[in-house]
Amino acid sequence: MARIKMVAGNWKMNKTLQEGVALAAQLKEDVKNPKCAVVIGTPFIHLATVAEMLKGSPIKVAAENCADKEKGAFTGEVSAEMVKSTGAEYCILGHSERRAYYHEDYEILKNKVELALANGLKVIFCIGEVKEEREAGKQNEVVKAQLEGSVFHLSAEAWKNIVLAYEPVWAIGTGLTATPAQAQDMHAYLRGLVAKQYGAQAAEDTTILYGGSCNEKNAAELFACPDIDGGLIGGAALVAEKFEAIIAAR
């Protein structure tokens, strides 16, 4: 299994259903033969419509979250099984916004990852440090703990369905971006952790994305780094031309 290069968009809580369908339609029209895997993460209400629209297209669809329970009396929650039934193939888990605003801890995320995988979804698992942790030089121990707490218990076979996304929290929506050197250092460190856990070949095959104000202007420089396999894109994924430019940079 060769390492997959990927550009994934995360729409977050943006776009009405009609606006999201229009954006997906434009991407379908424009992105015919990308040189990398392309994934768009949409709000739950868009998933079924957008997944159906993109059938036959190289663009895959991700949910931005799923519940940590299988099913039952959990009003307002959306299970991994429900996500899978829409035609989505991926689920974004561990995003810093979910950790910070909704207090998703290691155990909650561990449950979500297991349920997503059990339902045949691939997981884009986000990790990263906040500004204070970076300034204290603790970024390595932070991401190591995040991996050990939620995903490093998985079997080697299950690990094949994990994509990592390194998102320095201090560079999300702030206009700040890790330098290519900072990003490469972290990606190389992460690949080393995977190697210790699952072996050198698994590490070589693991896709690791950069997510922290990656845009059409800095994507090519970031993607040129040997351990950066693509990007998890926020704001720039909401504009077709910008997102397409990032895909072209990969």
Side-chain angles (χ1 to χ4, degrees):
M1 175 182 143
R3 193 191 309 175
I4 295 170
K5 306 293 187 179
M6 177 183 290
V7 172
N10 178 17
W11 292 3
K12 307 190 181 184
M13 196 173 71
N14 293 294
K15 303 286 185 188
T16 64
L17 177 58
Q18 293 76 19
E19 290 167 344
V21 166
L23 175 54
Q26 186 172 350
L27 292 172
K28 182 180 182 181
E29 178 64 29
D30 296 344
V31 180
K32 301 286 193 189
N33 297 293
K35 290 184 278 187
C36 64
V38 179
V39 179
I40 52 174
T42 80
F44 287 133
I45 64 159
H46 300 57
L47 282 177
T49 307
V50 170
E52 181 66 29
M53 171 192 288
L54 292 175
K55 272 186 180 173
S57 156
I59 304 170
K60 307 301 183 187
V61 180
E64 297 178 17
N65 185 29
C66 73
D68 64 333
K69 305 290 193 295
E70 188 175 355
K71 62 175 64 174
F74 302 101
T75 300
E77 289 295 292
V78 176
S79 72
E81 183 181 29
M82 292 173 181
V83 169
K84 180 66 175 177
S85 74
T86 67
E89 295 185 30
Y90 289 83
C91 189
I92 301 169
L93 295 173
H95 195 282
S96 61
E97 291 158 2
R98 299 294 314 176
R99 293 177 192 264
Y101 306 151
Y102 303 101
H103 312 295
E104 293 188 1
D105 59 20
Y106 297 162
E107 195 62 28
I108 288 171
L109 290 171
K110 183 178 178 182
N111 291 339
K112 290 188 177 197
V113 167
E114 289 175 353
L115 285 165
L117 294 175
N119 282 281
L121 294 164
K122 295 182 178 70
V123 172
I124 299 173
F125 190 73
C126 305
I127 51 179
E129 79 284 358
V130 299
K131 189 164 181 273
E132 293 76 17
E133 291 163 340
R134 165 66 69 165
E135 288 174 346
K138 293 182 176 177
Q139 62 271 18
N140 287 7
E141 62 186 85
V142 168
V143 297
K144 185 172 187 241
Q146 290 169 339
L147 291 171
E148 290 175 342
S150 302
V151 291
F152 268 1
H153 68 289
L154 296 171
S155 69
E157 193 59 33
W159 182 260
K160 293 176 182 177
N161 294 298
I162 300 289
V163 171
L164 293 181
Y166 168 59
E167 40 162 27
V169 183
W170 46 271
I172 298 174
T174 61
L176 297 172
T177 310
T179 66
Q182 285 175 319
Q184 167 57 25
D185 282 350
M186 178 57 82
H187 281 236
Y189 174 69
L190 293 171
R191 207 172 296 284
L193 292 178
V194 176
K196 285 180 187 170
Q197 189 71 19
Y198 295 107
Q201 190 58 53
E204 179 59 31
D205 292 343
T206 297
T207 298
I208 308 178
L209 309 179
Y210 174 77
S213 295
C214 181
N215 57 48
E216 72 282 7
K217 293 174 183 166
N218 59 25
E221 190 177 10
L222 287 163
F223 295 169
C225 298
D227 286 295
I228 299 179
D229 301 314
L232 179 61
I233 314 302
L238 298 170
V239 180
E241 293 77 12
K242 292 183 178 182
F243 191 55
E244 289 163 16
I246 296 169
I247 294 168
R250 177 63 281 178

